[in-house]
Coordinates of all heavy atoms in Angstrom, one line a residue:
Chain A
W30 N -5.8 25.7 -10.0 CA -5.6 25.7 -8.5 C -6.4 24.6 -7.8 O -7.4 24.1 -8.4 CB -5.9 27.1 -7.9 CG -7.2 27.6 -8.1 CD1 -8.3 27.6 -7.2 CD2 -7.7 28.3 -9.3 NE1 -9.4 28.3 -7.8 CE2 -9.1 28.7 -9.0 CE3 -7.2 28.7 -10.5 CZ2 -9.8 29.4 -9.9 CZ3 -8.0 29.4 -11.4 CH2 -9.3 29.7 -11.1
I32 N -8.4 23.1 -4.6 CA -9.3 23.6 -3.5 C -9.7 22.4 -2.6 O -9.8 21.3 -3.0 CB -10.5 24.3 -4.0 CG1 -11.4 23.4 -4.9 CG2 -10.2 25.6 -4.7 CD1 -12.7 23.9 -5.3
E33 N -10.0 22.8 -1.3 CA -10.5 21.8 -0.4 C -12.0 22.1 -0.2 O -12.4 23.3 -0.1 CB -9.8 21.8 0.9 CG -10.1 20.6 1.8 CD -9.1 20.5 2.9 OE1 -8.2 21.3 3.1 OE2 -9.2 19.5 3.7
F35 N -15.6 22.2 1.5 CA -16.3 22.1 2.8 C -17.7 22.6 2.5 O -18.0 23.8 2.6 CB -15.7 23.0 3.8 CG -14.2 22.7 4.1 CD1 -13.2 23.6 3.7 CD2 -13.8 21.6 4.7 CE1 -11.9 23.4 3.9 CE2 -12.5 21.3 5.0 CZ -11.5 22.2 4.5
G36 N -18.6 21.7 2.0 CA -19.9 22.2 1.6 C -19.8 23.2 0.5 O -19.1 22.9 -0.5
K37 N -20.5 24.3 0.6 CA -20.4 25.4 -0.4 C -19.0 26.0 -0.4 O -18.6 26.6 -1.4 CB -21.4 26.5 -0.2 CG -22.8 26.1 -0.7 CD -23.7 27.3 -0.6 CE -25.2 26.9 -0.8 NZ -25.5 26.4 -2.1
R38 N -18.3 26.0 0.7 CA -17.0 26.6 0.8 C -15.9 25.8 0.1 O -15.8 24.6 0.4 CB -16.6 26.8 2.3 CG -15.1 27.1 2.5 CD -14.8 27.4 3.9 NE -15.1 28.8 4.1 CZ -14.4 29.9 3.8 NH1 -13.2 29.7 3.2 NH2 -14.8 31.1 4.0
H39 N -15.3 26.4 -0.9 CA -14.2 25.8 -1.6 C -12.9 26.6 -1.4 O -12.7 27.6 -2.0 CB -14.5 25.7 -3.1 CG -15.6 24.7 -3.5 ND1 -16.7 24.4 -2.6 CD2 -15.9 24.0 -4.6 CE1 -17.5 23.5 -3.2 NE2 -17.0 23.3 -4.4
S40 N -12.2 26.1 -0.4 CA -11.0 26.9 0.1 C -9.8 26.6 -0.8 O -9.4 25.5 -1.0 CB -10.7 26.6 1.5 OG -11.7 27.2 2.3
Y41 N -9.1 27.7 -1.2 CA -7.9 27.6 -1.9 C -6.8 26.9 -1.1 O -6.7 27.3 0.1 CB -7.4 29.0 -2.4 CG -6.0 29.0 -2.9 CD1 -5.8 28.7 -4.3 CD2 -5.0 29.4 -2.1 CE1 -4.5 28.7 -4.7 CE2 -3.7 29.4 -2.6 CZ -3.4 29.1 -3.9 OH -2.2 29.1 -4.4
I42 N -6.1 26.0 -1.6 CA -5.0 25.4 -0.9 C -3.6 25.4 -1.7 O -2.6 25.5 -1.0 CB -5.2 24.1 -0.2 CG1 -5.6 23.0 -1.2 CG2 -6.2 24.1 0.9 CD1 -5.6 21.6 -0.6
G44 N -1.6 26.0 -5.9 CA -1.6 26.3 -7.3 C -1.6 27.8 -7.6 O -1.2 28.6 -6.8
C45 N -2.0 28.1 -8.8 CA -1.9 29.5 -9.3 C -2.8 30.4 -8.5 O -3.9 30.1 -8.1 CB -2.3 29.6 -10.8 SG -1.3 28.6 -11.8
R46 N -2.3 31.6 -8.2 CA -3.1 32.6 -7.5 C -3.7 33.6 -8.6 O -4.7 34.3 -8.2 CB -2.2 33.5 -6.6 CG -1.7 32.7 -5.4 CD -1.0 33.6 -4.4 NE -0.8 32.9 -3.2 CZ 0.0 31.9 -2.9 NH1 0.7 31.4 -3.9 NH2 0.0 31.3 -1.7
D47 N -3.2 33.5 -9.8 CA -3.7 34.4 -10.8 C -4.7 33.6 -11.7 O -4.6 32.4 -11.6 CB -2.6 34.9 -11.7 CG -2.8 36.3 -12.2 OD1 -3.9 36.8 -12.0 OD2 -1.9 36.9 -12.7
D48 N -5.5 34.2 -12.5 CA -6.2 33.5 -13.5 C -6.8 34.4 -14.6 O -6.7 35.6 -14.4 CB -7.3 32.6 -12.9 CG -8.5 33.3 -12.4 OD1 -9.0 34.2 -13.0 OD2 -8.9 33.0 -11.3
S49 N -7.3 33.9 -15.6 CA -7.9 34.7 -16.6 C -9.3 35.1 -16.1 O -9.7 34.6 -15.0 CB -8.1 33.9 -17.9 OG -8.7 32.7 -17.7
F50 N -10.0 35.9 -16.7 CA -11.3 36.4 -16.2 C -12.5 35.6 -16.7 O -13.6 36.1 -16.7 CB -11.4 37.9 -16.4 CG -10.4 38.7 -15.7 CD1 -9.5 39.5 -16.4 CD2 -10.3 38.7 -14.3 CE1 -8.5 40.2 -15.8 CE2 -9.3 39.4 -13.7 CZ -8.4 40.2 -14.4
L51 N -12.3 34.4 -17.1 CA -13.4 33.6 -17.6 C -14.0 32.8 -16.4 O -13.4 32.6 -15.4 CB -12.9 32.7 -18.7 CG -12.6 33.5 -20.0 CD1 -11.8 32.7 -20.9 CD2 -13.9 34.0 -20.6
P52 N -15.2 32.2 -16.6 CA -15.8 31.5 -15.5 C -15.0 30.3 -15.1 O -14.5 29.6 -16.0 CB -17.1 31.0 -16.1 CG -17.4 32.0 -17.2 CD -16.1 32.4 -17.8
P53 N -14.8 30.1 -13.8 CA -14.1 28.9 -13.3 C -14.8 27.6 -13.5 O -16.1 27.6 -13.3 CB -13.8 29.2 -11.9 CG -15.0 30.1 -11.5 CD -15.4 30.8 -12.7
V55 N -15.0 23.9 -11.9 CA -14.6 23.1 -10.8 C -14.7 21.6 -11.2 O -15.8 21.1 -11.5 CB -15.4 23.3 -9.5 CG1 -14.9 22.5 -8.3 CG2 -15.4 24.8 -9.2
Y57 N -14.2 17.9 -9.6 CA -14.0 17.2 -8.3 C -13.1 16.0 -8.5 O -13.3 15.2 -9.4 CB -15.3 16.8 -7.7 CG -16.1 18.1 -7.3 CD1 -17.0 18.7 -8.2 CD2 -15.9 18.7 -6.1 CE1 -17.6 19.9 -7.9 CE2 -16.5 19.9 -5.7 CZ -17.4 20.4 -6.6 OH -18.1 21.6 -6.3
V65 N -9.6 23.5 -10.0 CA -10.3 24.6 -10.7 C -9.5 25.3 -11.7 O -8.3 25.5 -11.5 CB -10.8 25.7 -9.7 CG1 -11.9 26.6 -10.3 CG2 -11.4 25.0 -8.4
S67 N -10.0 28.3 -15.2 CA -10.8 29.0 -16.2 C -10.3 28.7 -17.6 O -10.8 29.3 -18.6 CB -10.8 30.5 -16.0 OG -11.0 30.8 -14.6
Chain B
Y179 N -28.9 26.8 3.9 CA -28.4 26.4 2.6 C -29.4 25.5 1.8 O -29.4 25.5 0.6 CB -27.1 25.7 2.7 CG -25.9 26.6 2.9 CD1 -24.8 26.3 3.7 CD2 -25.8 27.8 2.1 CE1 -23.7 27.1 3.8 CE2 -24.6 28.6 2.3 CZ -23.6 28.3 3.1 OH -22.5 29.1 3.2
R193 N -26.8 31.9 -0.8 CA -25.6 31.2 -1.3 C -24.4 31.4 -0.4 O -23.4 30.7 -0.7 CB -25.3 31.8 -2.7 CG -26.4 31.6 -3.7 CD -26.2 32.4 -5.0 NE -27.3 32.2 -5.9 CZ -27.5 33.1 -6.9 NH1 -26.7 34.1 -7.1 NH2 -28.6 32.9 -7.7
R211 N -16.6 25.1 9.6 CA -16.0 25.0 8.3 C -16.6 23.9 7.5 O -16.9 24.1 6.3 CB -14.5 24.7 8.5 CG -13.7 24.5 7.3 CD -12.4 23.8 7.5 NE -12.7 22.4 7.9 CZ -11.8 21.5 8.3 NH1 -10.5 21.8 8.4 NH2 -12.1 20.3 8.7
D212 N -16.8 22.8 8.1 CA -17.3 21.6 7.4 C -18.7 21.8 6.8 O -19.1 21.2 5.8 CB -17.3 20.3 8.2 CG -15.9 19.9 8.4 OD1 -14.9 20.4 7.8 OD2 -15.6 19.0 9.3
G214 N -19.6 24.7 5.6 CA -19.4 25.6 4.5 C -19.8 27.1 4.9 O -20.4 27.8 4.1
I215 N -19.4 27.5 6.1 CA -19.7 28.9 6.4 C -18.9 29.8 5.5 O -17.8 29.4 4.9 CB -19.4 29.3 7.9 CG1 -17.9 29.1 8.2 CG2 -20.3 28.6 8.8 CD1 -17.5 29.7 9.6
G216 N -19.4 31.0 5.3 CA -18.6 32.0 4.5 C -17.5 32.6 5.4 O -16.5 32.0 5.6
D259 N -10.8 30.3 6.0 CA -9.8 31.2 5.6 C -10.4 32.6 5.2 O -9.7 33.4 4.5 CB -8.9 30.7 4.5 CG -9.6 30.1 3.4 OD1 -10.8 30.2 3.4 OD2 -8.9 29.6 2.4
D260 N -11.6 32.9 5.6 CA -12.1 34.3 5.5 C -12.6 34.7 6.9 O -13.5 34.1 7.5 CB -13.3 34.3 4.6 CG -13.0 34.1 3.1 OD1 -12.0 34.6 2.7 OD2 -13.6 33.3 2.5
Y415 N -15.9 32.5 -2.7 CA -15.6 31.4 -1.8 C -16.1 30.0 -2.3 O -15.9 29.0 -1.7 CB -16.1 31.7 -0.4 CG -17.5 31.1 0.0 CD1 -17.6 30.2 1.0 CD2 -18.6 31.5 -0.7 CE1 -18.9 29.7 1.4 CE2 -19.8 31.0 -0.4 CZ -20.0 30.1 0.7 OH -21.2 29.6 1.0
R416 N -16.8 30.0 -3.4 CA -17.2 28.8 -4.0 C -16.3 28.3 -5.1 O -16.6 27.2 -5.8 CB -18.7 28.9 -4.5 CG -19.6 29.1 -3.3 CD -21.1 29.1 -3.8 NE -21.4 30.3 -4.5 CZ -22.4 30.3 -5.4 NH1 -23.1 29.2 -5.6 NH2 -22.7 31.4 -6.1
C417 N -15.3 29.0 -5.4 CA -14.3 28.6 -6.5 C -12.9 28.8 -6.1 O -12.0 28.9 -6.9 CB -14.7 29.2 -7.8 SG -14.5 31.0 -7.8
G418 N -12.6 28.9 -4.8 CA -11.2 29.0 -4.3 C -10.6 30.4 -4.4 O -9.4 30.5 -4.2
T420 N -10.2 32.4 -2.0 CA -10.2 32.6 -0.6 C -8.8 32.7 -0.1 O -7.9 32.5 -0.9 CB -10.9 31.4 0.1 OG1 -10.0 30.2 -0.1 CG2 -12.3 31.0 -0.4
D422 N -5.1 33.2 1.1 CA -4.1 34.1 0.5 C -4.2 34.3 -1.0 O -3.6 35.2 -1.6 CB -2.6 33.6 0.9 CG -2.4 32.2 0.4 OD1 -3.4 31.5 0.0 OD2 -1.2 31.7 0.5
R423 N -5.1 33.5 -1.7 CA -5.3 33.7 -3.1 C -6.1 35.0 -3.3 O -5.8 35.8 -4.1 CB -6.0 32.5 -3.7 CG -6.2 32.7 -5.2 CD -6.3 31.3 -5.9 NE -6.4 31.6 -7.3 CZ -7.6 31.7 -7.9 NH1 -8.7 31.6 -7.3 NH2 -7.6 32.0 -9.2
L427 N -5.2 38.6 -5.2 CA -6.1 39.2 -6.2 C -6.5 40.6 -5.8 O -6.7 41.5 -6.6 CB -7.3 38.3 -6.5 CG -7.0 37.0 -7.2 CD1 -8.2 36.1 -7.1 CD2 -6.6 37.2 -8.6
R432 N -6.9 42.9 -9.3 CA -7.6 42.0 -10.2 C -9.0 41.5 -9.7 O -9.8 41.2 -10.5 CB -6.7 40.7 -10.5 CG -5.4 41.1 -11.3 CD -4.5 39.9 -11.4 NE -5.0 38.9 -12.3 CZ -5.0 38.9 -13.6 NH1 -4.5 39.9 -14.3 NH2 -5.5 37.9 -14.3
V435 N -12.1 43.1 -11.1 CA -12.7 42.7 -12.4 C -13.8 41.6 -12.2 O -14.9 41.7 -12.7 CB -11.6 42.1 -13.3 CG1 -12.2 41.6 -14.6 CG2 -10.6 43.2 -13.6
F436 N -13.5 40.7 -11.3 CA -14.5 39.7 -10.9 C -15.7 40.4 -10.3 O -16.8 40.0 -10.5 CB -13.9 38.6 -10.0 CG -12.9 37.7 -10.6 CD1 -11.5 37.8 -10.3 CD2 -13.3 36.8 -11.6 CE1 -10.6 37.0 -10.9 CE2 -12.3 36.0 -12.2 CZ -11.0 36.1 -11.9
N479 N -13.3 37.9 -25.4 CA -13.9 36.6 -25.0 C -14.6 36.7 -23.6 O -15.6 36.0 -23.4 CB -12.8 35.5 -25.0 CG -11.7 35.7 -24.1 OD1 -11.5 36.9 -23.6 ND2 -10.9 34.7 -23.8
K483 N -18.6 36.1 -23.1 CA -19.1 35.2 -22.1 C -20.1 35.9 -21.2 O -21.2 35.3 -20.8 CB -17.9 34.6 -21.3 CG -18.2 33.4 -20.5 CD -18.4 32.2 -21.4 CE -19.0 31.0 -20.7 NZ -19.2 29.9 -21.6
Y487 N -24.0 34.7 -20.6 CA -24.6 34.5 -19.2 C -25.8 35.4 -19.0 O -26.8 35.0 -18.4 CB -23.5 34.7 -18.1 CG -22.7 33.5 -17.9 CD1 -22.6 32.4 -18.7 CD2 -21.8 33.4 -16.7 CE1 -21.8 31.3 -18.5 CE2 -21.1 32.3 -16.5 CZ -21.0 31.2 -17.3 OH -20.3 30.1 -17.1
Y499 N -21.7 32.4 -12.8 CA -20.7 33.4 -12.3 C -19.3 33.2 -12.9 O -19.0 32.2 -13.4 CB -20.6 33.3 -10.7 CG -20.2 32.0 -10.1 CD1 -18.9 31.6 -10.0 CD2 -21.3 31.2 -9.7 CE1 -18.6 30.3 -9.4 CE2 -21.0 29.9 -9.1 CZ -19.7 29.5 -9.0 OH -19.4 28.3 -8.5
F500 N -18.5 34.2 -12.7 CA -17.1 34.2 -13.2 C -16.2 33.9 -12.0 O -16.5 34.2 -10.8 CB -16.7 35.6 -13.7 CG -17.2 35.8 -15.1 CD1 -18.6 36.2 -15.3 CD2 -16.4 35.7 -16.2 CE1 -19.1 36.4 -16.5 CE2 -16.9 35.9 -17.5 CZ -18.3 36.3 -17.7

Side-chain angles (χ1 to χ4, degrees):
Chain A
W30 58 100
I32 57 172
E33 194 164 2
F35 305 109
K37 279 189 195 291
R38 162 171 283 278
H39 288 29
S40 288
Y41 168 83
I42 57 171
C45 298
R46 286 185 168 75
D47 214 350
D48 70 47
S49 54
F50 295 118
L51 289 164
V55 181
Y57 293 90
V65 192
S67 311
Chain B
Y179 277 141
R193 298 172 186 161
R211 174 203 67 186
D212 289 349
I215 61 166
D259 53 0
D260 292 314
Y415 96 116
R416 294 187 289 155
C417 63
T420 65
D422 56 351
R423 183 157 184 269
L427 292 166
R432 291 176 67 81
V435 177
F436 291 110
N479 59 344
K483 196 73 191 175
Y487 275 14
Y499 57 86
F500 283 80

